[in-house]
Amino acid sequence: MKDKSILFNELEVWIDDLVREKASKLNKLQNITKLLKEEIEYYNWVGFYFVDKENLEELILGPFEGAPTEHTRIPFGQGVCGQVAVDQASHVVQDVAQEDNYLSCSLDVKSEIVVPIFKKGNFIGEIDIDSHKVAPFTDEDEVFLKMIAEKVSELL
Ligand code: SME
């Protein structure tokens, strides 16, 4: 695999192009998930969760790329995604076998990173990445995903 910083810089340019395209917001989000899953070999599931506007204590699954998940709604506090909703801070789980508050999607998933998305200072959703590798995530992934969270926030 290419050096992460080179790859992430290239992907940032592609994501800027995707965000500027004439397409619906949903299509843009879907294209971002597709791009990340295709280009980053250890990103095996890439998806968005958004706060349910009718139940502000629950997340709803948005566009995603990868295996279908039974976790289409996640109450705040449950699993890694639910913890991020409560803490409003990124969580990195390098080995899901060591995490008590974890909702399993598939036995193939070994690690997860979840980064919150804010709009005008309010928590509105998250980017969730599952990997089939143990401990693939570094600070670079977190910085990269925060950058994407900001771009997504602008397009919503
Ligand atoms: N593992 C997540 C559930 C969502 S799936 O990864 C798609 C969690 O613990 O919140």
Side-chain angles (χ1 to χ4, degrees):
M1 196 182 92
K2 266 184 211 168
D3 181 76
K4 265 192 199 187
S5 56
I6 296 175
L7 178 62
F8 288 171
N9 281 336
E10 287 175 2
L11 288 174
E12 181 169 359
V13 177
W14 288 10
I15 286 166
D16 282 337
D17 289 344
L18 288 181
V19 167
R20 272 192 237 105
E21 260 176 18
K22 230 175 175 278
S24 70
K25 291 173 186 179
L26 266 184
N27 275 337
K28 290 181 185 183
L29 294 177
Q30 189 74 62
N31 289 339
I32 292 172
T33 61
K34 212 178 268 178
L35 178 71
L36 296 182
K37 181 170 182 294
E38 274 168 14
E39 298 300 324
I40 306 173
E41 46 126 10
Y42 57 96
Y43 283 19
N44 300 109
W45 190 95
V46 178
F48 292 99
Y49 280 94
F50 290 102
V51 176
D52 181 0
K53 292 194 175 93
E54 284 165 17
N55 174 0
L56 298 175
E57 293 289 302
E58 213 160 78
L59 297 162
I60 307 184
L61 180 62
F64 70 94
E65 201 66 24
T69 173
E70 63 186 282
H71 303 297
T72 53
R73 301 186 73 91
I74 301 180
F76 279 26
Q78 276 188 25
V80 183
C81 294
Q83 289 178 67
V84 168
V86 171
D87 300 345
Q88 303 195 358
S90 307
H91 276 231
V92 182
V93 179
Q94 299 287 15
D95 180 0
V96 296
Q98 308 296 323
E99 173 64 47
D100 293 334
N101 192 3
Y102 169 67
L103 303 170
S104 173
C105 289
S106 129
L107 291 176
D108 294 330
V109 176
K110 301 285 190 277
S111 57
E112 177 164 16
I113 181 169
V114 183
V115 172
I117 304 170
F118 298 97
K119 180 101 186 162
K120 294 182 184 149
N122 296 313
F123 170 75
I124 58 160
E126 342 183 303
I127 305 175
D128 180 14
I129 313 287
D130 287 346
S131 177
H132 295 172
K133 285 193 179 154
V134 173
F137 304 116
T138 61
D139 290 346
E140 280 178 291
D141 291 86
E142 197 172 332
V143 170
F144 174 62
L145 292 170
K146 280 183 177 163
M147 175 277 294
I148 295 177
E150 278 170 28
K151 292 188 194 295
V152 165
S153 164
E154 281 164 26
L155 80 84
L156 291 175

